[in-house]
Amino acid sequence: MSRIVIIAFFLSVISARAQSVNNVEDHQVQIGLPMPAILYEKGVGKNSTLSIEAVAGLWIRDCTRCNTEFGVYPILRGQYRYYYNMKRRLDKKKNISGNSGNYVGGLILYQDGNALLGSLNTVSTVAVGPVYGIQRTYKKGFFYRLETGLAYFEDDSFIDNNGITLVLAARIGWTLGHKKK
């Protein structure tokens, strides 16, 4: 069931159409660090966007009686964002280019348990929940984003390993292409 929700969300990102008078960008691509990431964000309303992000996640396991193992995993994140302070930023003559603003939204996340690199394999995880974030983009395209929230998660382990978890995310990087003035 959770995979159907994820597929439906990603199809809606592809088919969404932006209104002509938006405070948010019609579309933008961001390249992020510290873990490599690429994000596509599409304006779907005056202050609303849908985004899809592919991230490489890192897990490291170290213990006293075992060898250190690591794994680099593919993570797919989808979000709806509502930037609630765009009018106030415009009234104060502050930058809104590159979707610089504060937002609330919903997050859907899928992490595959099979490592792309390394020998540490885990379980696949799906998480869904509300988030709050800030994003600022500067003239040369440099951006930073901080995000927090709560998410309900399920994984495909044999034990009942479902519950609520804290979401914390930080990203820096560059926004590619044309931005609003």
Side-chain angles (χ1 to χ4, degrees), residues 9 19 21-25 41-51 78-90 96 99-107 129-136 145-148:
F9 177 81
Q19 296 176 1
V21 183
N22 291 342
N23 289 329
V24 296
E25 302 291 344
E41 189 172 14
K42 172 86 173 139
V44 294
K46 185 172 183 173
N47 295 315
S48 303
T49 65
L50 291 174
S51 69
Q79 276 190 320
Y80 167 79
R81 295 180 185 168
Y82 175 74
Y83 291 89
Y84 63 86
N85 69 334
M86 295 300 223
K87 182 178 179 342
R88 187 179 67 193
R89 289 183 65 80
L90 286 170
I96 64 164
N99 297 340
S100 290
N102 301 2
Y103 61 88
V104 293
L107 169 71
V131 293
Y132 167 81
I134 64 169
Q135 178 169 269
R136 299 295 184 267
R145 181 173 64 244
L146 302 170
E147 189 174 271
T148 188

Side-chain angles (χ1 to χ4, degrees), residues 136-165:
R136 299 295 184 267
T137 305
Y138 298 96
K139 288 182 183 178
K140 301 284 185 184
F142 175 79
F143 80 91
Y144 73 88
R145 181 173 64 244
L146 302 170
E147 189 174 271
T148 188
L150 293 174
Y152 173 76
F153 72 94
E154 291 184 0
D155 64 34
D156 63 2
S157 64
F158 293 110
I159 59 173
D160 187 20
N161 195 19
N162 306 328
I164 303 291
T165 187

